[in-house]
Amino acid sequence: MLLRVFVNFRQSPIGFLGRNLYLNSRAISTGRVPQRSANDKTTPGRCFSSSGSHLRANETFDDFRAREERKEQEYAKQQQQQADATSSTGSPTSHTEAFASSSSGEKEPIDPDVERTKEMILDAALAFVQSHGWSKQAIAAGAEAANYPSVSHGLFPRGGIELVHHFYKQCNLKLIDYLKQQTVGVEKVPNPSEFARKAIEFRLRLLEPYLKYWPQALGLMTLPPNAPHSLANMLTLVDDICYYAGDRSVDFNWYTRRIGLACIYKTTELYMLQDSSAGFENTWKFLERRMEEASLVHEFLVKSEGATHQLQNAVGSAFTTARNILGLNFDRR
């Protein structure tokens, strides 16, 4: 019984492998490769090395090692030659360095030509919001209108929200131009509250051509990935109104005025979406009432001494972050 098991093991693939490993070990220890007879059925050339080569017939271990060392030296020489050639052209010296240079996380410099092209496409896309909404389809149509291929919407990977932010930015710039015109040659605004009310009305009237589709824009702006930029646009809007209204305060009033104005603007904006009166007359009356109530909100915040410092820190950080997100500074000269 034991003899039969031994014979079966010798004839199995495992038996051949074991015998082959045994022959290889003897070749390494003695420095010689044993000669195989004609009846030897072991697999030839199965003497493995770390470099993927194998011992040749009638080759000692010392010869094998010398041959492998020569290969390593030739490979090192080739690598050095490639390094010298690539360093002279200024390109990366290896695939690893090339990958590291491309994935280092550094932002590529902004190309002014590309930015101007994007501005042109987005400006043209606003004409298609009424037919396609705030979407990639509107951007593609705008690209064609600006004599660019429709696939140019690939320049805007975030889709419709980039069109919304572009429109919001353009409206804020128009608001600043309006505020500058109203304060030309004026050292001090006689009625800051009325000045702020007119500024809010001017800003909201810019939404009239797109009012039907503005709820979609509001939905896009409230999405988590888009909220920081959208909040920055809003805070910058009210900050500009307060500044040109003559607010140069450095105390807590700086914060309360901006918080109150932001609340008034957003509530009036939402009211305007549902207003069907002629010329949005009810919306402007609603705005007047909110401005009258603003003084009450201001007094409440100022008298709440416990919340004063917390609000001051929180709101101050919010306005600073908003300016940083939009890449703006506080120099309005």
Side-chain angles (χ1 to χ4, degrees):
M1 181 66 179
L2 293 175
L3 180 60
R4 180 179 302 175
V5 172
F6 179 73
V7 171
N8 291 337
F9 177 79
R10 286 285 305 271
Q11 295 177 351
S12 64
I14 299 177
F16 287 124
L17 178 60
R19 186 181 178 189
N20 195 16
L21 293 175
Y22 171 73
L23 293 176
N24 291 343
S25 62
R26 284 183 59 84
I28 295 175
S29 60
T30 62
R32 297 179 57 192
V33 179
Q35 300 295 326
R36 293 189 296 271
S37 62
N39 296 328
D40 193 350
K41 298 182 180 180
T42 57
T43 306
R46 305 292 289 181
C47 303
F48 295 100
S49 67
S50 59
S51 62
S53 302
H54 59 274
L55 288 171
R56 297 173 180 174
N58 300 326
E59 183 181 33
T60 64
F61 182 73
D62 293 336
D63 295 337
F64 171 78
R65 182 171 61 183
R67 179 162 56 87
E68 292 298 312
E69 289 178 354
R70 286 195 300 271
K71 288 184 179 180
E72 291 294 334
Q73 293 174 358
E74 292 176 359
Y75 178 77
K77 185 177 180 180
Q78 292 177 359
Q79 291 295 315
Q80 184 62 34
Q81 292 176 351
Q82 292 178 1
D84 295 339
T86 53
S87 61
S88 61
T89 59
S91 58
T93 58
S94 65
H95 294 290
T96 303
E97 293 179 2
F99 176 79
S101 62
S102 63
S103 60
S104 58
E106 298 180 359
K107 294 183 178 180
E108 296 182 358
I110 298 176
D111 189 344
D113 294 335
V114 174
E115 291 302 312
R116 283 193 293 268
T117 300
K118 294 173 68 174
E119 291 283 336
M120 292 175 56
I121 292 176
L122 291 175
D123 285 338
L126 291 175
F128 298 93
V129 170
Q130 297 181 357
S131 56
H132 299 288
W134 306 92
S135 62
K136 281 188 176 182
Q137 288 76 11
I139 297 176
E144 293 181 347
N147 297 323
Y148 290 97
S150 60
V151 294
S152 298
H153 69 76
L155 292 172
F156 311 94
R158 299 174 61 192
I161 188 60
E162 299 200 43
L163 183 58
V164 174
H165 286 159
H166 174 76
F167 173 71
Y168 216 111
K169 177 183 176 181
Q170 296 301 316
C171 290
N172 284 355
L173 292 176
K174 292 179 181 178
L175 174 64
I176 292 176
D177 291 338
Y178 167 82
L179 295 174
K180 288 181 178 180
Q181 293 175 3
Q182 297 299 314
T183 55
V184 172
V186 178
E187 295 183 359
K188 184 179 180 180
V189 176
N191 189 343
S193 178
E194 180 66 14
F195 179 88
R197 186 195 66 79
K198 291 182 179 180
I200 292 177
E201 180 178 345
F202 173 85
R203 178 62 178 79
L204 289 175
R205 284 190 180 277
L206 297 177
L207 302 179
E208 290 187 26
Y210 310 95
L211 196 62
K212 181 179 178 180
Y213 304 93
W214 194 241
Q216 179 192 4
L218 294 177
L220 291 174
M221 287 189 288
T222 56
L223 294 176
N226 309 328
H229 198 126
S230 303
L231 179 61
N233 283 326
M234 180 65 214
L235 295 180
T236 303
L237 185 158
V238 297
D239 185 38
D240 289 332
I241 293 177
C242 288
Y243 178 85
Y244 286 100
D247 183 14
R248 304 293 190 274
S249 59
V250 294
D251 56 2
F252 187 63
N253 292 332
W254 191 95
Y255 305 98
T256 57
R257 290 191 181 99
R258 282 156 178 79
I259 292 176
L261 201 61
C263 294
I264 291 173
Y265 180 88
K266 294 306 294 183
T267 54
T268 307
E269 180 185 41
L270 295 176
Y271 187 94
M272 185 179 182
L273 293 176
Q274 305 177 16
D275 186 10
S276 58
S277 61
F280 301 99
E281 181 180 355
N282 293 337
T283 298
W284 313 135
K285 290 182 179 179
F286 176 86
L287 175 60
E288 290 179 1
R289 293 193 297 269
R290 301 292 78 77
M291 294 298 297
E292 293 174 358
E293 296 170 354
S295 59
L296 300 177
V297 176
H298 176 265
E299 292 179 1
F300 171 78
L301 291 175
V302 171
K303 291 180 181 179
S304 302
E305 297 181 359
T308 297
H309 297 292
Q310 295 180 1
L311 278 173
Q312 182 175 355
N313 294 333
V315 178
S317 300
F319 278 92
T320 302
T321 303
R323 289 285 177 177
N324 293 335
I325 290 174
L326 298 179
L328 303 176
N329 53 41
F330 289 91
D331 186 8
R332 296 182 175 86
R333 291 177 294 177

